[in-house]
Amino acid sequence: MLELKNICYTVSTPETGEQTILKDISVTIPDGKLVVFTGPNGGGKTTLANLITRFFDAQSGEVLVGGVNVKNIEKEELNNTVSYVFQNSKLINASIRDNILLGKPNASIEEVMSALEKAQCLDIIDKFDKGIETVIGSKGVYLSGSETQRIAIARAILKNSPIVILDEATAFADPDNEVKIQKALDELSKDKTVIMIAHRLSTVKNADCIFVLQNGKLVEQGSAKELNDKNG
């Protein structure tokens, strides 16, 4: 069970002064469910997800994982509990295998290859003479944004965290690669608690619950059908 209780978050800059990003947000996400944070840009979706991973902390309220406040969970344990796939994932200048192993450093070559297969990456490996030993960023080695995204998903599949956050993970994919990325995300999401940050309704219609954020407030929640029935 993942719970966000009465979350408030503000930022302060010399240019704009104090701004409230999240206002008294409470959300409960049962284990194994797919939920979506959606709404206009600037509504607070990514900020709310970042509080779960402790990229930063709320000024008030609690984030609970399994009933335990994330502030009381060791950093390494929390990192092993939550995987985050960004809309523009980054890779390090190392081999493809080393990039995958960041998810689980002691993994076997069989586990690495299985993760790459599940993430629809075998076509990427096949185009390089050195396969998974190919060094990303070396001479003549270039990956598209969609290929980089699939490698990042393979890393998350290998990590096998119980909670997965997907921040607009298909946002920059062309139609052909979007299908591959979606298949990879389906593999990553199996038997996981998944939080998806999304704008397009086509990506959220199968969610167990959709949370609509606007101007830092939770304005609606329910399944796609429930929100549609009340013109949400």
Side-chain angles (χ1 to χ4, degrees), residues 13-231:
T13 66
E15 294 80 15
T16 62
E18 188 172 278
Q19 287 183 296
T20 300
I21 307 299
L22 295 170
K23 306 171 186 177
D24 196 29
I25 302 289
S26 293
V27 167
T28 298
I29 303 170
D31 292 341
K33 298 297 184 181
L34 166 61
V35 304
V36 172
F37 294 162
T38 192
N41 285 332
K45 304 181 294 297
T46 297
T47 299
L48 195 59
N50 286 344
L51 295 174
I52 299 168
T53 57
R54 287 202 74 194
F55 288 154
F56 37 76
D57 291 321
Q59 283 85 0
S60 63
E62 293 181 299
V63 179
L64 306 173
V65 176
V68 180
N69 192 314
V70 292
K71 294 180 180 180
N72 298 324
I73 299 175
E74 292 291 334
K75 185 177 180 179
E76 183 177 355
E77 181 182 352
L78 184 60
N79 182 59
N80 290 333
T81 301
V82 184
S83 290
Y84 206 130
V85 179
F86 298 93
Q87 59 180 306
N88 54 344
S89 297
K90 305 296 183 184
L91 302 178
I92 61 173
N93 289 335
S95 70
I96 292 173
R97 175 163 68 167
D98 286 341
N99 270 277
I100 303 299
L101 285 173
L102 291 173
K104 183 182 176 183
N106 62 346
S108 67
I109 186 64
E110 289 79 14
E111 289 175 299
V112 171
M113 291 306 299
S114 176
L116 285 165
E117 182 177 4
K118 289 176 180 177
Q120 310 294 307
C121 292
L122 295 187
D123 63 315
I124 302 172
I125 307 304
D126 288 344
K127 73 178 186 178
F128 297 118
D129 293 338
K130 294 184 179 180
I132 63 171
E133 302 304 333
T134 301
V135 176
I136 294 169
S138 60
K139 187 176 180 180
V141 177
Y142 304 102
L143 297 182
S144 69
S146 297
E147 290 172 334
T148 298
Q149 194 74 324
R150 281 185 274 151
I151 295 290
I153 294 169
R155 181 168 61 204
I157 288 173
L158 185 64
K159 185 178 176 182
N160 197 29
S161 300
I163 298 172
V164 176
I165 298 173
L166 307 175
D167 190 350
E168 294 282 6
T170 64
F172 299 135
D174 58 73
D176 288 340
N177 274 293
E178 184 175 1
V179 172
K180 293 179 180 178
I181 290 175
Q182 193 57 59
K183 287 181 179 178
L185 292 175
D186 289 344
E187 284 288 343
L188 172 60
S189 302
K190 283 182 178 177
D191 304 316
K192 304 287 195 299
T193 301
V194 180
I195 298 165
M196 182 183 295
I197 300 168
H199 283 98
R200 286 180 292 180
L201 292 178
S202 61
T203 63
V204 306
K205 60 185 179 183
N206 294 323
D208 294 295
C209 190
I210 299 169
F211 298 99
V212 184
L213 295 165
Q214 187 171 2
N215 297 324
K217 294 182 179 180
L218 180 61
V219 294
E220 288 185 291
Q221 66 183 76
S223 67
K225 183 179 185 305
E226 289 168 342
L227 294 181
N228 185 63
D229 286 347
K230 60 182 181 183
N231 296 317

